[in-house]
PDB file of all heavy atoms in Angstrom:
ATOM      1  N   GLU A  10     197.573  96.367 100.878  1.00 85.00           N
ATOM      2  CA  GLU A  10     196.690  97.394 101.409  1.00 85.00           C
ATOM      3  C   GLU A  10     195.595  96.823 102.317  1.00 85.00           C
ATOM      4  O   GLU A  10     195.312  97.412 103.358  1.00 85.00           O
ATOM      5  CB  GLU A  10     195.967  98.151 100.256  1.00 85.00           C
ATOM      6  CG  GLU A  10     196.797  99.340  99.843  1.00 85.00           C
ATOM      7  CD  GLU A  10     195.980 100.360  99.041  1.00 85.00           C
ATOM      8  OE1 GLU A  10     194.727 100.530  99.285  1.00 85.00           O
ATOM      9  OE2 GLU A  10     196.530 100.958  98.171  1.00 85.00           O
ATOM     10  N   HIS A  95     182.987 122.761 106.014  1.00 81.00           N
ATOM     11  CA  HIS A  95     182.364 121.911 107.041  1.00 81.00           C
ATOM     12  C   HIS A  95     183.279 120.698 107.351  1.00 81.00           C
ATOM     13  O   HIS A  95     183.554 120.400 108.479  1.00 81.00           O
ATOM     14  CB  HIS A  95     181.022 121.396 106.632  1.00 81.00           C
ATOM     15  CG  HIS A  95     179.962 122.468 106.518  1.00 81.00           C
ATOM     16  ND1 HIS A  95     179.732 123.362 107.566  1.00 81.00           N
ATOM     17  CD2 HIS A  95     179.178 122.824 105.480  1.00 81.00           C
ATOM     18  CE1 HIS A  95     178.823 124.183 107.140  1.00 81.00           C
ATOM     19  NE2 HIS A  95     178.437 123.903 105.901  1.00 81.00           N
ATOM     20  N   ARG A 173     204.649 115.131 100.081  1.00 96.00           N
ATOM     21  CA  ARG A 173     204.903 113.844  99.423  1.00 96.00           C
ATOM     22  C   ARG A 173     203.614 112.970  99.418  1.00 96.00           C
ATOM     23  O   ARG A 173     203.586 111.949  98.719  1.00 96.00           O
ATOM     24  CB  ARG A 173     205.974 113.082 100.191  1.00 96.00           C
ATOM     25  CG  ARG A 173     207.316 113.781 100.236  1.00 96.00           C
ATOM     26  CD  ARG A 173     207.990 113.692  98.866  1.00 96.00           C
ATOM     27  NE  ARG A 173     208.280 112.314  98.601  1.00 96.00           N
ATOM     28  CZ  ARG A 173     209.446 111.738  98.877  1.00 96.00           C
ATOM     29  NH1 ARG A 173     210.446 112.493  99.340  1.00 96.00           N
ATOM     30  NH2 ARG A 173     209.678 110.473  98.588  1.00 96.00           N
ATOM     31  N   TRP A 176     196.090 113.375 101.270  1.00 97.00           N
ATOM     32  CA  TRP A 176     194.879 112.650 101.752  1.00 97.00           C
ATOM     33  C   TRP A 176     193.723 113.377 101.145  1.00 97.00           C
ATOM     34  O   TRP A 176     193.398 114.513 101.602  1.00 97.00           O
ATOM     35  CB  TRP A 176     194.856 112.647 103.290  1.00 97.00           C
ATOM     36  CG  TRP A 176     194.033 111.568 103.887  1.00 97.00           C
ATOM     37  CD1 TRP A 176     193.527 110.474 103.211  1.00 97.00           C
ATOM     38  CD2 TRP A 176     193.627 111.452 105.245  1.00 97.00           C
ATOM     39  NE1 TRP A 176     192.835 109.705 104.091  1.00 97.00           N
ATOM     40  CE2 TRP A 176     192.887 110.238 105.334  1.00 97.00           C
ATOM     41  CE3 TRP A 176     193.788 112.209 106.383  1.00 97.00           C
ATOM     42  CZ2 TRP A 176     192.330 109.831 106.569  1.00 97.00           C
ATOM     43  CZ3 TRP A 176     193.285 111.799 107.584  1.00 97.00           C
ATOM     44  CH2 TRP A 176     192.554 110.597 107.673  1.00 97.00           C
ATOM     45  N   SER A 199     181.298 105.164  98.808  1.00 89.00           N
ATOM     46  CA  SER A 199     180.798 104.387  99.996  1.00 89.00           C
ATOM     47  C   SER A 199     179.285 104.430  99.993  1.00 89.00           C
ATOM     48  O   SER A 199     178.625 103.408 100.208  1.00 89.00           O
ATOM     49  CB  SER A 199     181.358 104.982 101.227  1.00 89.00           C
ATOM     50  OG  SER A 199     180.807 104.407 102.368  1.00 89.00           O
ATOM     51  N   LYS A 206     173.130  98.166  97.858  1.00 87.00           N
ATOM     52  CA  LYS A 206     172.817  96.997  98.716  1.00 87.00           C
ATOM     53  C   LYS A 206     171.415  97.142  99.349  1.00 87.00           C
ATOM     54  O   LYS A 206     170.684  96.117  99.442  1.00 87.00           O
ATOM     55  CB  LYS A 206     173.854  96.825  99.777  1.00 87.00           C
ATOM     56  CG  LYS A 206     175.146  96.302  99.271  1.00 87.00           C
ATOM     57  CD  LYS A 206     176.054  95.997 100.469  1.00 87.00           C
ATOM     58  CE  LYS A 206     177.460  95.479 100.050  1.00 87.00           C
ATOM     59  NZ  LYS A 206     178.354  95.438 101.169  1.00 87.00           N
ATOM     60  N   SER A 210     168.245  94.717  98.824  1.00 87.00           N
ATOM     61  CA  SER A 210     167.673  94.063 100.031  1.00 87.00           C
ATOM     62  C   SER A 210     166.149  94.359 100.114  1.00 87.00           C
ATOM     63  O   SER A 210     165.358  93.486 100.499  1.00 87.00           O
ATOM     64  CB  SER A 210     168.406  94.525 101.289  1.00 87.00           C
ATOM     65  OG  SER A 210     167.525  94.794 102.345  1.00 87.00           O
ATOM     66  N   ASP A 214     162.332  91.816  99.731  1.00 79.00           N
ATOM     67  CA  ASP A 214     161.150  91.856 100.599  1.00 79.00           C
ATOM     68  C   ASP A 214     159.883  91.564  99.845  1.00 79.00           C
ATOM     69  O   ASP A 214     158.934  91.031 100.428  1.00 79.00           O
ATOM     70  CB  ASP A 214     160.991  93.231 101.250  1.00 79.00           C
ATOM     71  CG  ASP A 214     161.990  93.496 102.305  1.00 79.00           C
ATOM     72  OD1 ASP A 214     162.750  92.540 102.637  1.00 79.00           O
ATOM     73  OD2 ASP A 214     162.047  94.604 102.861  1.00 79.00           O
TER      74      ASP A 214
ATOM     75  N   GLU B  10     181.291  95.116  94.365  1.00 85.00           N
ATOM     76  CA  GLU B  10     181.571  96.377  95.092  1.00 85.00           C
ATOM     77  C   GLU B  10     182.494  97.301  94.363  1.00 85.00           C
ATOM     78  O   GLU B  10     182.252  98.522  94.330  1.00 85.00           O
ATOM     79  CB  GLU B  10     182.080  96.091  96.490  1.00 85.00           C
ATOM     80  CG  GLU B  10     180.903  95.982  97.499  1.00 85.00           C
ATOM     81  CD  GLU B  10     181.408  96.154  98.910  1.00 85.00           C
ATOM     82  OE1 GLU B  10     182.339  96.972  99.174  1.00 85.00           O
ATOM     83  OE2 GLU B  10     180.843  95.473  99.788  1.00 85.00           O
ATOM     84  N   ARG B 173     167.250  99.744 107.952  1.00 96.00           N
ATOM     85  CA  ARG B 173     167.791  98.591 107.260  1.00 96.00           C
ATOM     86  C   ARG B 173     169.247  98.684 106.871  1.00 96.00           C
ATOM     87  O   ARG B 173     169.825  97.730 106.420  1.00 96.00           O
ATOM     88  CB  ARG B 173     166.977  98.367 105.965  1.00 96.00           C
ATOM     89  CG  ARG B 173     165.450  98.116 106.198  1.00 96.00           C
ATOM     90  CD  ARG B 173     165.231  96.710 106.698  1.00 96.00           C
ATOM     91  NE  ARG B 173     165.602  95.790 105.666  1.00 96.00           N
ATOM     92  CZ  ARG B 173     164.779  95.258 104.793  1.00 96.00           C
ATOM     93  NH1 ARG B 173     163.501  95.551 104.854  1.00 96.00           N
ATOM     94  NH2 ARG B 173     165.233  94.369 103.912  1.00 96.00           N
ATOM     95  N   TRP B 176     175.194 103.543 107.855  1.00 97.00           N
ATOM     96  CA  TRP B 176     176.433 104.101 107.313  1.00 97.00           C
ATOM     97  C   TRP B 176     177.270 104.485 108.553  1.00 97.00           C
ATOM     98  O   TRP B 176     176.995 105.451 109.238  1.00 97.00           O
ATOM     99  CB  TRP B 176     176.097 105.338 106.487  1.00 97.00           C
ATOM    100  CG  TRP B 176     177.142 105.690 105.471  1.00 97.00           C
ATOM    101  CD1 TRP B 176     178.245 104.956 105.093  1.00 97.00           C
ATOM    102  CD2 TRP B 176     177.247 106.912 104.708  1.00 97.00           C
ATOM    103  NE1 TRP B 176     178.964 105.615 104.142  1.00 97.00           N
ATOM    104  CE2 TRP B 176     178.403 106.767 103.860  1.00 97.00           C
ATOM    105  CE3 TRP B 176     176.506 108.064 104.625  1.00 97.00           C
ATOM    106  CZ2 TRP B 176     178.765 107.793 103.025  1.00 97.00           C
ATOM    107  CZ3 TRP B 176     176.893 109.036 103.755  1.00 97.00           C
ATOM    108  CH2 TRP B 176     177.990 108.930 102.918  1.00 97.00           C
ATOM    109  N   SER B 199     192.218 104.291 106.236  1.00 89.00           N
ATOM    110  CA  SER B 199     192.670 105.099 105.119  1.00 89.00           C
ATOM    111  C   SER B 199     194.010 105.756 105.464  1.00 89.00           C
ATOM    112  O   SER B 199     194.975 105.791 104.706  1.00 89.00           O
ATOM    113  CB  SER B 199     191.639 106.073 104.757  1.00 89.00           C
ATOM    114  OG  SER B 199     192.096 107.003 103.767  1.00 89.00           O
ATOM    115  N   LYS B 206     202.569 104.005 103.200  1.00 88.00           N
ATOM    116  CA  LYS B 206     203.167 104.271 101.878  1.00 88.00           C
ATOM    117  C   LYS B 206     204.149 105.434 101.913  1.00 88.00           C
ATOM    118  O   LYS B 206     205.179 105.412 101.255  1.00 88.00           O
ATOM    119  CB  LYS B 206     202.032 104.576 100.866  1.00 88.00           C
ATOM    120  CG  LYS B 206     201.259 103.366 100.405  1.00 88.00           C
ATOM    121  CD  LYS B 206     200.322 103.809  99.310  1.00 88.00           C
ATOM    122  CE  LYS B 206     199.460 102.638  98.824  1.00 88.00           C
ATOM    123  NZ  LYS B 206     198.391 103.113  97.904  1.00 88.00           N
ATOM    124  N   SER B 210     208.052 105.314 101.033  1.00 87.00           N
ATOM    125  CA  SER B 210     208.601 106.223 100.013  1.00 87.00           C
ATOM    126  C   SER B 210     209.762 107.079 100.543  1.00 87.00           C
ATOM    127  O   SER B 210     210.730 107.345  99.831  1.00 87.00           O
ATOM    128  CB  SER B 210     207.405 107.138  99.517  1.00 87.00           C
ATOM    129  OG  SER B 210     207.848 108.444  99.292  1.00 87.00           O
ATOM    130  N   ASP B 214     214.230 107.277  99.647  1.00 79.00           N
ATOM    131  CA  ASP B 214     215.064 108.465  99.425  1.00 79.00           C
ATOM    132  C   ASP B 214     216.478 108.258  99.919  1.00 79.00           C
ATOM    133  O   ASP B 214     217.405 108.885  99.412  1.00 79.00           O
ATOM    134  CB  ASP B 214     214.454 109.663 100.178  1.00 79.00           C
ATOM    135  CG  ASP B 214     213.227 110.182  99.507  1.00 79.00           C
ATOM    136  OD1 ASP B 214     212.904 109.731  98.406  1.00 79.00           O
ATOM    137  OD2 ASP B 214     212.614 111.123 100.109  1.00 79.00           O
TER     138      ASP B 214
END
Side-chain angles (χ1 to χ4, degrees):
Chain A
E10 270 198 35
H95 293 306
R173 299 285 297 264
W176 203 11
S199 174
K206 285 187 182 169
S210 140
D214 285 354
Chain B
E10 271 199 34
R173 299 285 296 266
W176 202 11
S199 174
K206 284 187 182 170
S210 140
D214 285 353

